[in-house]
């Protein structure tokens, strides 16, 4: 079924809690439905959204917003070690993670409690606690917006990197993701080296899928605002990557600055730390601020417009640039 709405509120469709509208809103529940809709010919501005957990609407959207309500999961292949699970793009991300943990299938447990839907996991390459969704993605199925043809992207086609994929690059804005297939393990190998994750898991009784999920949920709950209570889009900025020489001179000046050397020789810095050092935890604006436990998360303190948030974010970027000479890039997709 395809549902078509005119002048539709986007408030329930963005975790920032921005009160914007879409000129048209199209929600479909099968591949055939969206193919039939697009086959009639579609042009004009378009935006494909998932759970709206990584979006900032600065204005009302003067075009068509597409939302997938394709549900369901099925095993499409398996052997004694692993399996391929094909999942509808409209499935809630954490329901998928919870289900795979219950089944005893390893891979997604470190990605527990991330807001959003399955389709977006392939666009954003969502990541947390040492795991990125792209590592597990075997295939992405799409329908092209311009000619309604079905496409398939293998893992390699997707060019996953930190919070990035081909769907944010050369294929940006061209596809509606319909299904994502994940390769999961029947013999889980735990990744517990990030921060205090291992310690938490040990406190819960040792490494099992359920304990890793519980530990991750508890860490996130302590550090990140719950979208039901406080409007935000998770990390607003990406962690910046700088050349080793820049990182070294920053360490000399700021010995406590967290730094994470990458295999390529560059160094990743912590955006949260940089923002906190600029004093933003203590200087909220009227409608906008950063979260008290994680400065990388910009929050709606109540009644913020998209423009309020963007102005605030730009002030944060300018202050980090001035103090540290480092440029922060936004992780959130700003839609104007
Ligand atoms: N830090 C501060 N002050 C802050 C925040 C962080 O000093 O206000 C320091 C921490 O003490 C720590 C370092 O910065 O030394 C890193 O902090 P954390 O472990 O919280 O991770 P992060 O790099 O800030 C990233 C992801 C998160 C993800 C966590 C855990 C990005 C942009 N963000 O945050 O992702 O949950 O790692 O893996 O890469 C998201 O994308 O929405 C998100 C929440």
């Amino acid at each position: 079924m395809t549902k078509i709405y005119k002048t539709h509120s986007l408030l329930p469709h963005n975790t920032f809690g921005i009160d914007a509208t879409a000129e048209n809103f199209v929600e479909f529940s099968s591949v055939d439905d969206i193919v039939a809709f697009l086959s009639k010919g579609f042009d004009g501005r378009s935006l494909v959204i998932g759970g709206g957990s990584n979006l900032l609407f600065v204005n009302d959207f003067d075009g068509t917003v597409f939302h997938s309500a394709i549900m369901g999961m099925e095993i499409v292949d398996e052997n004694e070690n692993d399996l391929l699970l094909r999942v509808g793009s409209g499935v809630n991300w954490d329901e998928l993670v919870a289900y795979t943990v219950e089944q005893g299938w390893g891979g997604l447990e470190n990605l527990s409690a991330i807001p959003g839907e399955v389709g977006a996991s392939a666009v954003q390459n969502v990541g947390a606690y040492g795991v990125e969704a792209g590592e597990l993605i075997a295939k992405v199925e799409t329908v092209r917006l311009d000619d309604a043809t079905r496409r398939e992207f293998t893992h390699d086609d997707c060019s996953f990197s930190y919070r990035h994929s081909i769907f944010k690059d050369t294929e940006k804005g061209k596809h509606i993701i319909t299904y994502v297939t994940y390769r999961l393990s029947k013999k889980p190998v735990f990744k517990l080296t990030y921060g205090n994750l291992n310690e938490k898991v040990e406190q819960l009784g040792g490494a099992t899928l359920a304990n890793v999920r519980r530990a991750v949920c508890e860490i996130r709950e302590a550090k990140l605002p719950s979208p039901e209570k406080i409007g935000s889009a998770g990390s607003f900025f990406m962690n910046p990557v700088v050349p080793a020489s820049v990182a070294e001179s920053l360490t000399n000046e700021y010995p406590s600055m967290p730094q994470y050397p990458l295999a390529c020789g560059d160094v990743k810095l912590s955006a949260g730390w940089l923002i906190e050092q600029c004093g933003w935890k203590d200087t909220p604006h009227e409608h906008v601020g950063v979260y008290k436990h994680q400065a990388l998360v910009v929050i709606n303190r109540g009644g913020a417009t998209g423009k309020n948030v963007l102005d605030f974010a730009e002030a944060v970027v300018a202050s980090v640039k001035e103090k540290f000479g480092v440029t922060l890039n936004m992780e959130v997709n700003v839609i104007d």
Side-chain angles (χ1 to χ4, degrees), residues 144-315:
R144 268 191 77 104
L145 279 158
D146 58 356
D147 60 8
T149 53
R150 296 176 190 204
R151 299 293 166 99
E152 285 189 7
F153 293 80
T154 64
H155 169 88
D156 287 349
D157 292 337
C158 293
S159 304
F160 292 117
S161 60
Y162 173 56
R163 297 295 196 272
H164 200 75
S165 74
I166 196 167
F167 303 107
K168 288 179 85 175
D169 202 338
T170 50
E171 299 302 310
K172 186 174 176 175
K174 295 182 185 168
H175 300 265
I176 294 180
I177 293 177
T178 52
Y179 285 95
V180 182
T181 300
Y182 301 89
R183 183 180 299 281
L184 303 173
S185 174
K186 292 182 183 174
K187 297 173 181 167
V189 178
F190 297 100
K191 292 192 180 171
L192 303 173
T193 51
Y194 191 97
N196 63 346
L197 182 56
N198 191 35
E199 197 185 315
K200 276 249 171 206
V201 168
E202 286 306 317
Q203 282 165 10
L204 292 171
T208 62
L209 291 174
N211 284 348
V212 175
R213 173 167 167 77
R214 206 172 131 199
V216 168
C217 289
E218 284 176 12
I219 295 170
R220 287 187 72 93
E221 207 176 310
K223 277 196 177 178
L224 298 167
S226 144
E228 296 86 47
K229 295 187 193 135
I230 300 177
S232 89
S235 301
F236 197 94
F237 304 97
M238 289 191 270
N239 285 327
V241 175
V242 298
S245 55
V246 173
E248 200 183 324
S249 58
L250 284 167
T251 302
N252 292 338
E253 206 175 336
Y254 304 98
S256 65
M257 176 184 282
Q259 298 196 348
Y260 309 92
L262 302 175
C264 62
D266 291 340
V267 177
K268 194 185 265 190
L269 307 178
S270 159
W273 187 90
L274 297 169
I275 296 166
E276 181 172 353
Q277 297 302 308
C278 289
W280 288 103
K281 278 190 178 171
D282 309 315
T283 49
H285 283 199
E286 193 185 348
H287 299 290
V288 193
V290 298
Y291 190 54
K292 57 183 179 222
H293 301 304
Q294 171 50 288
L296 161 81
V297 177
V298 174
I299 57 167
N300 181 349
R301 301 180 70 239
T305 63
K307 179 80 168 63
N308 294 148
V309 176
L310 192 59
D311 288 347
F312 178 86
E314 281 168 359

